[in-house]
Amino acid sequence: MAQKVKKHWREDFDIWASPVLANMLWLMFSIWILTIPLGIVGIMAVMFHWMDDRRTQVFSIFFSTIRQVWLKSYLLLILNVLVGGFLLFNLHIISQMPMTDPFAMISLGTTLVVSVIFLSICIPAWVLVATWDAPLKSIIRFSVQLVFAHPLWMVGNMIAFVSVFIFSLILPAAVFITVTGAIAAYIACWRTFALVYKYHNNFQLIDIK
């Protein structure tokens, strides 16, 4: 009986310690700019498998995912930077224009809407890069389709994801160190895959070796 209780306690500890460990690995990879995309796909993969079947092999999942999708993660980062930079440049130009100008108001509204759509596409794209064994082109196309097929759900996904980081700013630093990234990744995975399985019956996951 005592051995069963001890085993059960260890299993529970492993389950709930896994997101914390994944969060710390993500933070370590986020210290250096060049390794940020690797940390993102690593924590996304860990939290997906934790969500799906409570797998606790954090190091195996984290580093196996990085080894298999590092190129796609950097290509996606470059695409994010290019599109995001263009949108920021637009906002900078618009900020120099008088807001009494109708063209400025239309340009501002259009840029903000496009920015929301862009951010809403980015989150499922990062989730799928970390989990789906498919070309980057297919991942981006499917992410765009998800956002336009379910705009409210996917915009809500983006807002929930960003809100985790915003709220963590008013909480003790220990929260950010231990769980913020893991919670955000869990939300992104859960809300993305709630729709993925609706459209893909033969969804091929990345083989974690």
Side-chain angles (χ1 to χ4, degrees), residues 13-42:
F13 178 80
D14 287 343
I15 288 173
W16 296 107
S18 294
V20 176
L21 180 55
N23 198 86
M24 291 180 175
L25 286 172
W26 164 70
L27 279 178
M28 288 175 57
F29 275 78
S30 299
I31 293 174
W32 298 279
I33 294 175
L34 290 177
T35 56
I36 287 176
L38 305 181
I40 294 173
V41 294

Side-chain angles (χ1 to χ4, degrees), residues 8-204:
H8 183 70
W9 181 88
R10 286 179 177 175
E11 289 175 351
D12 286 346
F13 178 80
D14 287 343
I15 288 173
W16 296 107
S18 294
V20 176
L21 180 55
N23 198 86
M24 291 180 175
L25 286 172
W26 164 70
L27 279 178
M28 288 175 57
F29 275 78
S30 299
I31 293 174
W32 298 279
I33 294 175
L34 290 177
T35 56
I36 287 176
L38 305 181
I40 294 173
V41 294
I43 195 170
M44 288 294 187
V46 170
M47 294 314 299
F48 165 75
H49 287 285
W50 189 86
M51 170 195 76
D52 194 46
D53 57 8
R54 289 295 190 265
R55 289 182 62 179
T56 58
Q57 299 88 351
V58 175
F59 285 100
S60 174
I61 296 171
F62 195 96
F63 290 103
S64 179
T65 300
I66 288 175
R67 186 174 66 253
Q68 295 183 67
V69 305
W70 66 270
L71 181 56
K72 285 193 288 187
S73 71
Y74 279 114
L75 291 175
L76 182 58
L77 175 66
I78 292 171
L79 182 61
N80 286 176
V81 170
L82 289 175
V83 176
F86 175 75
L87 292 172
L88 288 174
F89 178 74
N90 266 11
L91 289 173
H92 174 71
I93 295 299
I94 294 170
S95 68
Q96 309 302 313
M97 302 167 66
M99 286 296 104
T100 53
D101 184 351
F103 178 74
M105 295 298 293
I106 293 172
S107 298
L108 177 61
T110 302
T111 303
L112 291 176
V113 170
V114 172
S115 297
V116 169
I117 294 172
F118 167 66
L119 291 173
S120 299
I121 292 171
C122 285
I123 294 171
W126 280 104
V127 171
L128 295 175
V129 161
T131 56
W132 189 12
D133 187 10
L136 182 60
K137 182 179 179 180
S138 298
I139 289 172
I140 293 173
R141 182 172 62 247
F142 185 63
S143 299
V144 172
Q145 291 171 346
L146 283 180
V147 170
F148 282 96
H150 301 274
L152 294 180
W153 180 266
M154 297 311 294
V155 170
N157 182 35
M158 181 269 294
I159 293 173
F161 183 87
V162 173
S163 296
V164 172
F165 291 96
I166 293 175
F167 284 127
S168 72
L169 295 176
I170 62 176
L171 297 173
V175 174
F176 187 82
I177 294 171
T178 56
V179 296
T180 295
I183 292 173
Y186 180 88
I187 290 171
C189 290
W190 169 62
R191 292 185 67 89
T192 298
F193 274 89
L195 296 179
V196 166
Y197 289 131
K198 180 178 179 180
Y199 294 101
H200 268 279
N201 294 324
N202 298 316
F203 189 87
Q204 182 62 47

